[in-house]
Structures are given as structure tokens and as C-alpha cells.
Amino acid sequence: MDRKSFLKKAGLAVFSMSVVGKVMEASPGVFSSDCVTTNDILGPFYRKNAPERNDLRIEGVVGTEIKLTGEVYGDDCKTSLGNAKVEIWHCDTEGNYDNDSSEFRHRCTIYTDDKGHYSAWTIIPGKYLNGRLYRPAHIHFRVSAPEHKELISQVYFAGDPHIAEDPWAAQKKAQHRILPIFPKDINSDLAVKFDIFLSK
């Protein structure tokens, strides 16, 4: 199935996440939290078995480099999840996904360290048409950890003019997944921070 056909047929509800959460008492002695990251669509171009690496930059491919970084937590909003599996993928600068090459371009698998931290170098993805509209630039995540529910999500970039009309990114609950790009060090290297909260 091609991208256009999938997007036309995908009548999927968008779920999102709250990056900054809190724990509350729902009833005496029973606590719940609102920090759990919820789902976005998987999309038609997920590929399993992406190689384990943390650098998705490709020699000869021009693009704005960014460092993806963050921590994976449990649903109490504070317990770091070490050895969580984080799969990341996105299109190239022209809006194309690598769906079949052995290089798995712009795709990777990462495992968090003992403090739940992950990071990867990549580039800002391009955009592609969804009907008559362009989808905003986005990066896909698939995250799993023992005794937790698997998460499928996407992040978008603050200031992207195509967010407002996108059927997924424009959802109110997606607002906490629209992330700023910021200079992370004195060399003006750019970064995007996406903390992830998994539910039990």
C-alpha cells in the first residue's frame, strides 16, 4: 500500500501525551498519573529489525542535523526504565522512506542506559503530501519495556506551518508532542528532547 492510499484510508484516532505530569489520588489509597505518553499512528512504513545504532546521519545526504535525546520513565512519572527498546524512523529530506534497502536509512534501534536515557543523531525529516496537504515534519517512535505497554508515537516541531491542518498533529492532545529545537551546547548543535512515559 502506498503512502497516499494509507493516509486516505487511515481513519485512526490520534492519541497524544503529556510530557509534564503529576501523580494524583483518584480514590483513597489509589493513585494515578497524567504523565503517560499516549499513541499516535504507526503509519505504513515501519520496518522491524532496524540496526542498533545511534547515528542516522548519512554521508552525502544534506540536512539540518539534530540530536534526539530524552529519558524513558514508568507511569509514576519518575522511575527511569533502563534497557527500554526505542525504535526511531523517519523519511529523508525529500519525504521518502527507505522501505526495502539493507541500509535501513534513517532507522534505528536504541536501548536506554541504566538511567533510562537515549540519544541519537539524525536530520530534520522532509515533508510529503497527504492528499492536497503536506504532513508536517515528524519522527516516529516505537518504545517497549518489560511489564509496560508498548508505545507508538510521533513528534513534531514547533513552528511548523503544516501542523495546523494536519489530521494528527493538529489534535489538541498532540500539543505536548510539538517540540522545540534548541541549541544544546556552545557549538550551536541543535537538539530535540522527548521524554517518554510508559503505562503498565
Side-chain angles (χ1 to χ4, degrees):
M1 179 184 298
D2 65 10
R3 177 192 303 124
K4 187 174 181 181
S5 296
F6 172 83
L7 292 171
K8 281 186 174 180
K9 294 178 181 178
L12 302 175
V14 177
F15 299 90
S16 65
M17 64 136 198
S18 172
V19 174
V20 180
K22 58 184 180 293
V23 177
M24 63 204 91
E25 190 170 17
S27 60
V30 178
F31 292 86
S32 63
S33 66
D34 71 350
C35 64
V36 174
T37 306
T38 53
N39 292 354
D40 203 326
I41 59 169
L42 177 66
F45 302 117
Y46 168 75
R47 293 178 65 187
K48 62 182 180 180
N49 300 322
E52 187 174 343
R53 60 188 175 195
N54 62 1
D55 194 339
L56 303 184
R57 295 170 294 184
I58 300 168
E59 186 176 354
V61 175
V62 177
T64 301
E65 296 183 359
I66 55 172
K67 187 172 188 179
L68 299 174
T69 184
E71 287 78 40
V72 178
Y73 297 98
D75 64 353
D76 64 356
C77 310
K78 63 182 181 180
T79 300
S80 300
L81 298 180
N83 205 40
K85 183 180 181 180
V86 181
E87 295 175 85
I88 297 170
W89 70 101
H90 61 78
C91 65
D92 64 20
T93 55
E94 296 182 355
N96 299 308
Y97 286 88
D98 177 3
N99 296 318
D100 48 28
S101 88
S102 60
E103 294 178 294
F104 283 82
R105 289 182 165 215
H106 306 303
R107 298 175 184 270
C108 74
T109 300
I110 302 170
Y111 289 89
T112 59
D113 65 18
D114 58 359
K115 295 183 179 179
H117 181 262
Y118 73 91
S119 65
W121 280 101
T122 191
I123 59 172
I124 298 176
K127 301 181 182 185
Y128 51 83
L129 281 171
N130 170 23
R132 64 179 182 83
L133 301 172
Y134 279 96
R135 284 224 68 208
H138 58 280
I139 297 176
H140 296 264
F141 284 78
R142 187 170 190 165
V143 185
S144 57
E147 300 182 0
H148 290 78
K149 293 180 181 178
E150 181 182 68
L151 168 72
I152 295 169
S153 196
Q154 296 181 35
V155 297
Y156 305 95
F157 302 100
D160 190 320
H162 294 102
I163 287 174
E165 294 186 292
D166 184 75
W168 296 283
Q171 292 285 326
K172 182 178 179 181
K173 291 183 180 180
Q175 62 184 334
H176 295 297
R177 288 186 285 115
I178 301 171
L179 305 177
I181 300 172
F182 61 92
K184 74 177 187 65
D185 54 34
I186 60 173
N187 299 316
S188 296
D189 290 327
L190 299 177
V192 173
K193 192 172 194 299
F194 180 43
D195 289 340
I196 298 165
F197 300 88
L198 300 182
S199 60
K200 287 289 183 74

